[in-house]
Every structure is written in structure tokens, then in C-alpha cells.
């Protein structure tokens, strides 16, 4: 075999090996994704209906179904159907500058519940403390890991519906709508953010 034939044969072999490697790494070709690639769901998360959430929220918050239904209906009008919800408890206190701490379980259809913790600072015309149950509707949350980040409050999005406090938190395209029982007028008296984590944190920042 002469030198030209040998070189041409080597180039053809390398090209064939490169194509095979690319197909192995290409998810569209049926092979595994490259190492370190995040695992995304094959299909969007299945959302909840209003009827599925009203009874659960009513029982958890300890309020009448009409009250829970009114608050959920308001959030549905603004955002549509949520892909997840968090049922939890929290405590908050403030003297102008305050802090909020909570713990709960994140529920998504077809997945095991995930324990989450949250904490965050607040600033405003605020004095006192309270403890409450919280039922948080989560929008555009396609997989549980996305919850572990900071969610700033949406300015002007705080109101009372049937005696329940509702406000909005948003990060990128994910929106959280906590519905709190027994917060009174404290809800609209401060601004801040909530950071969600896998473990409890002492500092709210």
C-alpha cells in the first residue's frame, strides 16, 4: 500500500469514528446526552385544576371551601393552572426590618413530594410577628430543582381575598403565589424576597 492510499484510508477511518461519537452524544439520535447535561422532563409537567386544589387548600389552611375557592380563583384568573403547589407553615416577625422562615412539601403530579425550606428579609411599615399556614401555587415549574433559588416579590401584587392573604413572587418565568391564612394587613406592609433551600438556614439572606 503506497503512502497516498495509507493517508486516505486513515482520514476515512477518523471521519467514521467522529460521526459515530457525535451520534452517541446526540440525544436526538437516541444516545445518552453529554456528561453533565441537566436532566429535563420529556414532557411539560401536568397542571392542576381548580377543583383539585380547592379541597386540599381548604383542609390544609383550615378555612371554608368558599374562602379557599375565592383566593384560588383570583390566582387562576391572573396566571392559569399551576404545575405544582407547596403546603407548609411559616413564622415571620419585624420591627421595620423583618424576616420570614418556613418549611413545607412541594407536590407535583407523578413525582414524590420534596421537602423545601424558605427564608427571606423584608423592609416596610411593619411591626409585630405572626405564624401561619401557607398554600403556594407554583407556575411554570417543570421540575422540582428549579424551586431552589430566590424569588423577589412582585411590586403591587398583594391583596386579601375572602380573608386570605395572597401575593406574587417571580424569578424568570416561574411565578409563586403564596396564599396565607391569618396574616391580616401585614401582607401589604413590606417588600422583600424568599429564598428556597434544601436545608434550613439561620440567616434570612
Amino acid at each position: 500500500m503506497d503512502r497516498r492510499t495509507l493517508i486516505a484510508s486513515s482520514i476515512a477511518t477518523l471521519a467514521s469514528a467522529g460521526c459515530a461519537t457525535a451520534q452517541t452524544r446526540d440525544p436526538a439520535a437516541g444516545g445518552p446526552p453529554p456528561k453533565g447535561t441537566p436532566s429535563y422532563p420529556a414532557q411539560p409537567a401536568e397542571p392542576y385544576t381548580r377543583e383539585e386544589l380547592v379541597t386540599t387548600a381548604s383542609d390544609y389552611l383550615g378555612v371554608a371551601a368558599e374562602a379557599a375557592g375565592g383566593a384560588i380563583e383570583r390566582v387562576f384568573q391572573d396566571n392559569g393552572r399551576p404545575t405544582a403547589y407547596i403546603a407548609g407553615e411559616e413564622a415571620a416577625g419585624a420591627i421595620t426590618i423583618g424576616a420570614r422562615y418556613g418549611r413545607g412539601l412541594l407536590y407535583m403530579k407523578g413525582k414524590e413530594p420534596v421537602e423545601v425550606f424558605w427564608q427571606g428579609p423584608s423592609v416596610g411599615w411593619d411591626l409585630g410577628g405572626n405564624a401561619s399556614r401557607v398554600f403556594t401555587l407554583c407556575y411554570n415549574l417543570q421540575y422540582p430543582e428549579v424551586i431552589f433559588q430566590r424569588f423577589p416579590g412582585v411590586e403591587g401584587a398583594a391583596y386579601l381575598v375572602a380573608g386570605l392573604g395572597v401575593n406574587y413572587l417571580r424569578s424568570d418565568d416561574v411565578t409563586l403565589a403564596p396564599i396565607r391564612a391569618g396574616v391580616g394587613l401585614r401582607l401589604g406592609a413590606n417588600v422583600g424576597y424568599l429564598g428556597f433551600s434544601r436545608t434550613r438556614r439561620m440567616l434570612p439572606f
Side-chain angles (χ1 to χ4, degrees):
M1 181 181 294
D2 58 29
R3 181 177 300 178
R4 291 183 179 180
T5 302
L6 179 61
I7 293 174
S9 176
S10 300
I11 292 175
T13 301
L14 291 173
S16 176
C19 290
T21 302
Q23 290 179 352
T24 301
R25 292 185 177 181
D26 184 6
K35 186 176 180 181
T37 300
S39 176
Y40 294 96
Q43 297 180 345
E46 184 180 354
Y48 288 90
T49 65
R50 178 185 180 279
E51 292 71 22
E52 288 177 311
L53 295 174
V54 168
T55 300
T56 303
S58 173
D59 292 342
Y60 189 78
L61 296 175
V63 298
E66 291 79 6
I72 289 175
E73 181 64 29
R74 172 63 185 268
V75 180
F76 267 53
Q77 289 177 0
D78 291 343
N79 301 280
R81 296 168 60 186
T83 55
Y85 69 88
I86 301 171
E89 300 177 343
E90 68 177 22
I95 303 177
T96 304
I97 298 176
R100 187 183 300 274
Y101 294 90
R103 171 189 173 277
L105 291 175
L106 170 68
Y107 295 89
M108 297 184 72
K109 288 187 176 181
K111 300 181 183 296
E112 291 294 322
V114 176
E115 185 176 38
V116 297
F117 296 86
W118 62 90
Q119 52 280 316
S122 64
V123 179
W125 304 293
D126 212 350
L127 177 65
N130 68 289
S132 59
R133 289 195 169 191
V134 187
F135 194 84
T136 301
L137 306 183
C138 308
Y139 290 88
N140 295 322
L141 190 72
Q142 299 300 328
Y143 54 104
E145 291 77 10
V146 173
I147 196 68
F148 298 115
Q149 59 175 305
R150 287 181 178 179
F151 289 85
V154 178
E155 185 177 358
Y159 44 83
L160 294 174
V161 179
L164 299 175
V166 182
N167 73 310
Y168 292 149
L169 308 167
R170 186 169 296 143
S171 178
D172 294 328
D173 61 343
V174 178
T175 298
L176 307 183
I179 302 173
R180 297 182 173 92
V183 297
L185 296 178
R186 250 189 116 235
L187 180 67
N190 59 72
V191 294
Y193 65 82
L194 288 182
F196 287 78
S197 57
R198 293 179 174 83
T199 59
R200 189 185 303 278
R201 296 179 180 176
M202 298 302 296
L203 295 177
F205 306 101

